Amino acid sequence: MGKRILIIGGVTGGASAAARIRRLDADASITIFERGEHVSFSNCSLPYYLSRTVEEADYLLVMTPEGFRDSYDIEVRTNSEVLAIDRESKKIRVKDKIAGEEYEEAYDELVLSPGAAPIRPRSIEGVFLPHVFTVRNVNDIVNLDQYVREKDRHNVAVIGGGFIGLEVAENLKESGKHVAVVEAADQVMAPFDYDMSQILHKELLDHGVELYLGDGVKAIAEDHVTLVSGRKIPADVVVLAIGVLPETSLAKDAGLELGVTGAIKVSPDFRTSDPHIYAVGDAIEVYNSLTRKPAKLPLAGPAQRQARTAADAICGKGGANKGVIGSCAVRIFGMNAAATGLNEKTAKQNGIPCDYVYTMAMDKVGLMPGSAPAHFKLVFEVPTGRILGAQSIGAGNVDKRIDVIATMIAMNGTLEDLKELELCYSPIFGTARDIVNQAALVALNVLHGVFRQVHVSDVRELVESGAYIVDVRTPEEFAEGHLKGAVNIPLGELRQRVSEIPEDCPVYLHCRTSQRSYNAIMALKGRGYENVYNISGSFLGISFYEYYMDTVTGREKILTDYNFM
Amino acid sequence: MGKRILIIGGVTGGASAAARIRRLDADASITIFERGEHVSFSNCSLPYYLSRTVEEADYLLVMTPEGFRDSYDIEVRTNSEVLAIDRESKKIRVKDKIAGEEYEEAYDELVLSPGAAPIRPRSIEGVFLPHVFTVRNVNDIVNLDQYVREKDRHNVAVIGGGFIGLEVAENLKESGKHVAVVEAADQVMAPFDYDMSQILHKELLDHGVELYLGDGVKAIAEDHVTLVSGRKIPADVVVLAIGVLPETSLAKDAGLELGVTGAIKVSPDFRTSDPHIYAVGDAIEVYNSLTRKPAKLPLAGPAQRQARTAADAICGKGGANKGVIGSCAVRIFGMNAAATGLNEKTAKQNGIPCDYVYTMAMDKVGLMPGSAPAHFKLVFEVPTGRILGAQSIGAGNVDKRIDVIATMIAMNGTLEDLKELELCYSPIFGTARDIVNQAALVALNVLHGVFRQVHVSDVRELVESGAYIVDVRTPEEFAEGHLKGAVNIPLGELRQRVSEIPEDCPVYLHCRTSQRSYNAIMALKGRGYENVYNISGSFLGISFYEYYMDTVTGREKILTDYNFM
């Protein structure tokens, strides 16, 4: 008789661990206990059922209990809630939710993969009303969908602008609903810096999603939501997507150690403080290898890797634990967005000396159908040039470019390495100098002080203080929209008109994407100008940066008009 | 007065070098001499004019001579052929092809970027007939296009199954022509191994392109082409895309050293044997950092990097030279294909101890619209597990996955590193365990002898010799097509039916993509079976591997029927 291995939780981490253990150990007895009705479903695909991108809810199920039994000789008990762990006697107490009975099971090794639960703050009045939903499993999304359809509800308030919130918002919007997103922070999607998030804000607004930033929810009533600011939003359906909290009660009650983040603390091979109990997935505390600090990262990819390492450890094999860097991707209507590693904000919060560049190269050769600019922000360590993180947003392929950066981070790559990467090129797919190479080249210029740059957030102050700003785009582009007070000297005329540019004050340059302004800066430097700055993000970046605030608050504009591609 | 820098050739390498030199040196006098009518056009986009994917030929021009003058203060002389270099007096002799006049220009530094010329073998009878075309520049593609349209030609023979040949074939087919591709090798697209190329062969056949492999051209007549085999193909237009040869005559006549490959030999900073003459682009010999041998690699990405390093050297800055690994991508109708580093064939030819895996994971979560299997072949060094190369072909995003592998190669990554990569995941874009992670996991199993595999090319012999082959797919899949003589034991029944499987002979297993057969192998190993093999590529790979030969030669089939996704 083999080892008796019990696994609590049958979604990503639990299912992966079970399958891996079976492959390594034909004799083990493996049982998965799942509180919910389903095991091994595609969590990340749940929102896509709302728009019928995923046509049937059943399609969300990756594997059935029968599949586990037949293909893996693994027993799955659904609707089975584990109530307690008795570490001394190595037993768990289980409640069969259908039969209403409780029983015990003994284990040799136990794996905890209980996941994380959506936050439902009791401080919000009305948070338990029947039209308030959270999204965690297949039943949740089916219930939400049924409610919206059967009750013919049209006004949805999504609370929280993270992955789940925005995906739910998109899919309900696509299914014809009126959708408002409420987010307490001043931006959606925390993995992105404030400047980059403005592109997402515009995309949401452009698709008719209402956006309430910097405002929380105070109370939920049957037909509306009241925000902290006092504003009232009509809403007959509310989706809470504020975030998740690791499910730690079972571990805590069993006296297992929790980490500083409140999640379950684990060893390098995902063992808890009890050597016969492992833990993986959203419930555990992970190690961020860039900040070198404990963190929570409820994502499927890391959960799968953790499950594998835990299974290897249970079966007496050494396993890997490289920590996490936090790679993620999301689609918001026509924009794809991805990020990895540290953004400017978190790098600075962690006291890591760093700088960044914000580029907007085309994602494929400009004359090819569907080519579009990819907004790309690259964060690097100073003075080493070591790559710390990147974010990209665009209509085309951005996530796999961020994968290249994630790979560089994992391999301790520097800007020099990145600029030399020999990537695949066809005009159908990219450019001979890819976005990531281009970002590295610009970043090296910043690192080596070849030119200096100002942040897009500083442009308003420059304009208001009457700084000397040169717009080197063509007169036609300038006419379509420009910064108030900017001087238009097209790059092609710069050499003839250089005498117009004062030498005794700072000169700030921009074009549309910083390609022309870079050449202009180098030309001015060659002519002895020392005090020249590139405006990071250039006109396209400025336009995005100002758009949301200008649209929403009606404050005085610093642009005569916006000029998006 | 600044340095006088002359540049011969105004396309990728020449144009890039010129622009970079200008950024670094405001005072230099820079002149580009281009033999053709245009500078700085998008070579790689040329074929797409034939199908009007690129609507106007003018769109192919990236930069005009006026643009160079206005934006960069760089003089461009088109239709200007450089006839000779006088190294002693540091002068070049130029022929103005319009005026018909010759003159001399003095230089301080000279950059050669003459490119490579399409091969037009005199040994082929009729190779200079007016309906025989090559594709190198904008005029070439316009001439071919005009000829086909004005003469209303319909039968095209494309000689050569490399990038240009296949892209021309695709675009002429898309524009309604009848197209035959003739290739002397037994496969198209040399960067891919023979097994992977079969997927491309099927894609070409499926789109009505005739394919003549392992056959060369003997003679071209006005209405047909005669192959070496004696076969005659109706053809009233012939496109020669056999390959290119570096343009070395100018360098050779000037006494500059050539390398063993026949291309111009250069120093690490792209200096020729004359310290005042640099050379970049398709005309030079590069260093392959994986084989550690000199090579030719006529691609745009490397040319741009070489140009930058040469420009840096001219301006007194140190530059990078990481050699090349040969990353490339192509689209052939509905299939995207990309490769980097060494394939199995070249690794073995170079005596590098290596092994490979051939996987077929889904490119995104299976329930998402448009998900498709990505054929992925990963080649790694034995015993180190260092990644040597990869090839991928599929309907979805494969090129950027190959970029991740190219990044790993550049950073000396191993399979262990690759399996742990934390990549961006959304079901819209990929799977939680990406194709590249998955390939690394399988490769580690092969490296560590967890299971053994046989090559897809050995399956025919296995079938013919009556080997014991177990197909672990479902009965429904089996009924749609299977290997003759294979025993169908679905994975779900394996544990019950294990006694049917003999223990005294080798057992070969496959499913559709090797995911189920992997689990089956581990189950058998757990039950004491030692002599079990996975069939690399599984049923999908076998189907592709056999399809072309079966279709074309009518040889006896080893499959009852094909069963593609």
Side-chain angles (χ1 to χ4, degrees), chain B residues 15 18-19 22 30-32 65 68-76:
Chain B
R22 170 55 72 226
I30 307 171
T31 306
I32 297 174
F68 273 106
R69 185 193 60 209
D70 293 342
S71 294
Y72 292 101
D73 194 17
I74 290 169
E75 189 190 0
V76 174

Side-chain angles (χ1 to χ4, degrees), chain B residues 96-144:
Chain B
D96 180 332
K97 290 162 74 182
I98 304 291
E101 283 164 10
E102 292 183 16
Y103 60 94
E104 287 186 335
E105 282 291 344
Y107 64 81
D108 293 313
E109 309 290 339
L110 181 66
V111 179
L112 303 181
S113 181
I119 298 170
R120 199 186 270 262
R122 285 169 189 279
S123 60
I124 298 175
E125 200 187 310
V127 80
F128 291 103
L129 284 170
H131 70 303
V132 181
F133 294 84
T134 55
V135 176
R136 184 180 185 180
N137 57 36
V138 177
N139 285 347
D140 290 343
I141 206 79
V142 168
N143 290 341
L144 167 60

